[in-house]
Amino acid sequence: MNAAPAPKPGKLVTFEGPEGGGNSTQAAILAGKLRGIGLSVVTTREPGGTPTGEIIRDLLQNDLAREPLCDAAEALLFCASRAQLCRNVLAPALARGEWIVLDRFTDSTLAYQGYGRGFDIGTLRAMNDFATGETRPALTILLDIPAEAGLARAFARSGGGDRIESAPLKFHRRLREGYLALARGEPERFAVVDATATPDAVADAVWQAVKDRLLGGVC
Ligand code: TMP
């Protein structure tokens, strides 16, 4: 008797970008479109996506421990959340042949903790590799928006910034430039989308990129 064929491996699509670019909105729209063409899709986010990761998220964003978080601990906590998500959610889902739409991943650490906080990019890449094991994005959508415009949107939405949103404007400017540099360095993985356009126009550009890069131009 023949064994059942192994499922076709799934694909990981990550959304990245400065504050206010609309990652979560666009991730939800893309997941809906992928499900609409019959794919099985997992949606999740970083930091978070596991019980441990959600507690880490609260530490990172909402000052849960009520003590100033040093920059090194911040970088390690993002990677700890990532390790838990990769082992318990992402790698198993990909092995089952599912697609994953993920709101932030390794490039956030390079942009925010590297270009933003000033940590060495090579060290952060090694930390990312340690956290992720074999899990890599097939496509990364960079929702690009200037720092000022993105922060204005983020603050209007939340009514006041969280710990990271409240960092100085020059931090946000550096990380935006960092994202663009990362995208220039890996043009085959990144698709840069202008996130200042309307949500519908952004969603169309995202879908076009996914069709062109991952679905062989069909649909
Ligand atoms: P968000 O999910 O609402 O975008 O919030 C996540 C915040 O954490 C956002 O300010 C970006 C930041 N972040 C980092 O600084 N480094 C990371 O590695 C990740 C995943 C997020």
Side-chain angles (χ1 to χ4, degrees):
M1 199 167 73
N2 289 336
K8 227 168 124 191
K11 290 191 193 303
L12 170 60
V13 180
T14 58
F15 278 85
E16 293 281 0
E19 304 299 330
N23 283 353
S24 23
T25 306
Q26 293 300 331
I29 294 172
L30 175 62
K33 288 184 178 176
L34 291 170
R35 289 187 184 112
I37 59 165
L39 294 169
S40 175
V41 184
V42 173
T43 55
T44 186
R45 67 176 180 179
E46 277 204 2
T50 63
T52 302
E54 291 297 326
I55 292 172
I56 293 175
R57 183 181 180 91
D58 232 6
L59 271 169
L60 284 161
Q61 287 193 303
N62 301 326
D63 199 15
L64 188 65
R66 304 203 187 290
E67 71 168 336
L69 200 52
C70 76
D71 290 350
E74 178 189 87
L76 289 161
L77 284 168
F78 279 116
C79 288
S81 172
R82 180 163 305 137
Q84 193 74 2
L85 187 72
C86 283
R87 299 312 184 285
N88 290 2
V89 178
L90 304 187
L94 290 171
R96 288 193 302 268
E98 295 175 354
W99 281 51
I100 300 165
V101 178
L102 176 54
D103 181 351
R104 297 194 179 279
F105 195 47
T106 44
D107 299 298
S108 283
T109 298
L110 301 180
Y112 280 76
Q113 281 65 54
Y115 290 90
R117 300 278 190 231
F119 282 117
D120 176 63
I121 296 289
T123 304
L124 294 175
R125 284 191 192 279
M127 286 165 53
N128 274 339
D129 288 348
F130 183 68
T132 55
E134 304 286 299
T135 306
R136 297 284 179 278
L139 174 65
T140 296
I141 309 280
L142 171 53
L143 296 180
D144 179 50
I145 187 164
E148 294 84 341
L151 284 172
R153 276 192 194 173
F155 275 68
R157 186 192 56 216
S158 66
D162 64 25
R163 197 181 62 82
I164 294 177
E165 286 167 351
S166 310
L169 180 59
K170 58 180 193 264
F171 166 86
H172 291 281
R173 285 187 174 147
R174 282 198 301 273
L175 74 86
R176 191 255 180 145
E177 290 309 316
Y179 269 126
L180 292 172
L182 293 170
R184 282 193 298 274
E186 276 184 86
E188 65 297 335
R189 173 166 68 90
F190 274 92
V192 182
V193 171
D194 175 8
T196 62
T198 62
D200 283 350
V202 174
D204 287 347
V206 168
W207 187 229
Q208 194 60 51
V210 171
K211 285 192 295 187
D212 291 348
R213 311 271 192 115
L214 300 182
L215 296 171
V218 294
C219 303

